[in-house]
Amino acid sequence: MDYIQESDFTVLEEGFTARGLIEKIINDASQTEERDAFLVGDMEEVVKKHLHFLKTLPRVKPFYAVKCNNFRPLVKLFAEMGTGFDCASKSEIELIKEIGVNPERIIYANPCKQISSIKFAANNGVQMMTFDNELELIKVSENHPKAKMVLRIATKDSKSSYCMNAKFGAPLNTCRHLLETAKNLNIEVIGVSFHVGSACSDPQLFAQSIEDAHLVFDIASEFQHKMTLLDIGGGFPGIMEAKISFEEIAAVVNSALDKYFPEGSAVDIIAEPGRYYVASAFTLAVNIIGKKIVQQDAPESHGERNDPCKSVFYYLNDGIYGTFSRLLFRRCQHKLILHKEPSPKQPLYMSSLWGPTCDPMDQIAEHLYLPELCIGDWLLYYNVGAYTVVASSTFNGFHPPHIHFAMSLQAWEDVHLLKRGFEQAENTKKN
């Protein structure tokens, strides 16, 4: 195991917080001309989320969704805490293997895989992988005959902000044929998976999907498939402002599992949380690198503090081709905080925020009423840990912001306790 080192993190002294680290970095940068955007990842937040997951969903083992945020120190932290990993590509499998994770802790959870990637998984001992159609089964039978397949079923995800089933998922009326095909191809099917969509707003979707999975388990038994795995996917909220809480979803999931897959049923339950763990753990600090004032002819006033005489364009050193990439899909819940607390008497101006590239689509926000800011001022964005830098590019030659990882001493101790507990459990299984 390539253990995490203190050098991977800034280990915070008692009483010092991740926000304090942000302030220190800003103060240091403000003494120079290099006021580059940067991220701070609060790993204490991740550790707390993990402990809460284990307590709230005690029968469910998390397989962290690497696609959500693949920074190496972060995935090493998950490896130390004993999670599994949901990988979607050859590169993600390579990353997890490189940090010393046993391939039994990896599920290749992409229902559509390139043949060379299937062979790579086979050659590296990764056996669990998903499918949702007959042609995928044929590909796997020809290139990874020892695979342990997981049938991904379609769900009703219309109440999620990011629907998955338009692309993936086998309708229930096709499952019998797929299970029979797998049997004829001599391919082992070990379980069922589903995904209710990201930012799910109705916990009952989990209950319905678990019930549907139970039905597929019954069908699989007709073809002598030994079903031992249920993968309940992701869709768990990662921020306080979510429409429903993680606890509400957990209550529904626990009830449905007790009904359809009770303890003693010899079925392992896993999930693929991503944004749940990391969305709220990362904060972005961006600097105002440019400013343009536009005089208004005959504007309307919208409140006592709002000054209608001008609007202001602010240009930042990160944008939609970087950390704000999710704005392209209007799926972004980043929370803006002004670094300098404004006076309640300052007038507010209609403002827009723009990224650093030459593309006019690189707009972060518009129609904001802000006090007048200056070139060199900082803005902070919370909740930027999920699907941000991983989806960024180097368009116009701009690179993703540097990342600082922080961890409290208490979190550091919690990780080592989790590590020892995981190792003891693994040794018990071997013996």
Side-chain angles (χ1 to χ4, degrees):
M1 172 69 72
D2 180 16
Y3 297 125
I4 57 176
Q5 304 292 326
E6 288 192 29
S7 58
D8 291 327
F9 306 96
T10 298
V11 180
L12 302 175
E13 297 178 6
E14 189 172 351
F16 198 61
T17 64
R19 177 60 190 264
L21 178 60
I22 293 170
E23 293 299 324
K24 181 180 185 305
I25 296 170
I26 286 177
N27 288 337
D28 290 347
S30 296
Q31 307 304 313
T32 73
E33 295 180 352
E34 298 297 327
R35 301 182 183 186
D36 296 331
F38 65 89
L39 286 158
V40 168
D42 183 359
M43 296 300 97
E44 180 177 14
E45 177 81 356
V46 174
V47 175
K48 285 181 177 179
K49 287 283 189 71
H50 182 60
L51 292 170
H52 188 59
F53 189 102
L54 298 180
K55 180 181 178 181
T56 312
L57 286 171
R59 294 184 55 204
V60 182
K61 180 175 180 178
F63 275 55
Y64 173 66
V66 180
K67 66 180 76 68
C68 183
N69 186 324
N70 63 2
F71 299 138
R72 193 180 185 92
L74 177 66
V75 295
K76 286 169 70 176
L77 173 63
F78 282 113
E80 288 283 272
M81 296 192 297
T83 73
F85 292 90
D86 154 23
C87 293
S89 65
K90 174 184 173 181
S91 294
E92 290 185 355
I93 294 173
E94 284 179 322
L95 170 63
I96 302 308
K97 286 277 290 178
E98 283 171 5
I99 62 174
V101 173
N102 189 307
E104 292 180 359
R105 291 165 62 186
I106 297 173
I107 181 168
Y108 192 175
N110 188 337
C112 181
K113 298 167 286 294
Q114 191 168 309
I115 288 174
S116 61
S117 297
I118 295 172
K119 290 181 177 179
F120 177 83
N123 293 334
N124 285 274
V126 176
Q127 292 187 309
M128 288 193 297
M129 54 179 62
T130 60
F131 76 102
D132 68 359
N133 66 83
E134 183 175 342
L135 294 177
E136 192 71 14
L137 273 176
I138 294 171
K139 278 196 302 185
V140 172
S141 69
E142 294 173 348
N143 297 284
H144 192 355
K146 294 183 180 179
K148 299 181 183 296
M149 301 301 290
V150 179
L151 173 54
R152 177 158 168 174
I153 60 174
T155 64
K156 297 176 181 178
D157 59 2
S158 60
K159 294 185 179 180
S160 298
S161 64
Y162 189 47
C163 301
M164 307 292 290
N165 293 284
K167 186 173 184 180
F168 296 124
L172 287 180
N173 61 10
T174 68
C175 290
R176 181 180 297 277
H177 171 70
L178 292 174
L179 291 164
E180 182 178 17
T181 300
K183 187 68 175 178
N184 293 337
L185 291 170
N186 201 29
I187 287 292
E188 184 179 7
V189 179
I190 65 164
V192 172
S193 72
F194 61 81
H195 199 302
V196 300
S198 294
C200 172
S201 63
D202 183 1
Q204 291 305 318
L205 293 178
F206 282 91
Q208 182 61 57
S209 299
I210 291 170
E211 181 180 357
D212 291 345
H214 181 261
L215 174 62
V216 177
F217 267 63
D218 287 342
I219 297 171
S221 66
E222 299 175 21
F223 299 100
Q224 290 75 53
H225 290 295
K226 187 178 179 181
M227 304 288 275
T228 59
L229 183 77
L230 173 65
D231 179 355
I232 64 173
F236 308 104
I239 59 174
M240 294 293 293
E241 297 84 354
K243 293 179 181 178
I244 58 171
S245 69
F246 174 72
E247 292 75 17
E248 289 176 281
I249 292 176
V252 171
V253 168
N254 287 330
S255 177
L257 291 177
D258 288 343
K259 181 176 181 179
Y260 296 106
F261 295 92
E263 290 195 64
S265 59
V267 176
D268 293 325
I269 316 296
I270 69 171
E272 301 168 1
R275 70 177 66 245
Y276 163 78
Y277 276 117
V278 299
S280 62
F282 285 74
T283 299
L284 171 69
V286 289
N287 198 255
I288 297 175
I289 61 172
K291 173 181 175 182
K292 179 170 67 175
I293 296 174
V294 179
Q295 300 298 328
Q296 303 294 329
D297 293 332
E300 296 180 8
S301 181
H302 296 277
E304 292 181 2
R305 288 179 61 197
N306 300 341
D307 191 326
C309 68
K310 64 183 180 182
S311 64
V312 187
F313 287 39
Y314 295 104
Y315 302 91
L316 313 180
N317 52 3
D318 198 357
I320 65 167
Y321 292 97
T323 309
F324 295 93
S325 59
R326 300 300 285 175
L327 285 172
L328 286 169
F329 311 102
R330 297 295 182 260
R331 298 187 179 103
C332 188
Q333 294 177 297
H334 307 332
K335 182 179 179 181
L336 170 63
I337 301 291
L338 299 181
H339 179 241
K340 294 180 180 177
E341 188 71 27
S343 165
K345 295 183 179 180
Q346 280 183 266
L348 302 180
Y349 301 97
M350 178 72 78
S351 305
S352 57
L353 306 179
W354 302 80
T357 71
C358 297
D359 188 345
M361 286 187 62
D362 192 2
Q363 185 181 56
I364 300 165
E366 60 181 340
H367 306 311
L368 297 178
Y369 279 96
L370 299 174
E372 187 164 359
L373 305 172
C374 300
I375 293 174
D377 283 349
W378 293 87
L379 303 178
L380 302 181
Y381 279 89
Y382 295 159
N383 302 333
V384 297
Y387 300 101
T388 51
V389 177
V390 290
S392 66
S393 73
T394 57
F395 181 56
N396 277 199
F398 292 99
H399 292 271
H402 182 72
I403 306 141
H404 303 263
F405 294 92
M407 180 180 285
S408 69
L409 286 171
Q410 180 59 59
W412 185 260
E413 292 169 2
D414 288 340
V415 170
H416 284 280
L417 287 173
L418 286 164
K419 175 179 175 291
R420 284 199 292 271
F422 171 71
E423 289 177 343
Q424 289 172 1
E426 289 297 289
N427 290 332
T428 300
K429 282 198 303 184
K430 290 177 183 176
N431 297 330

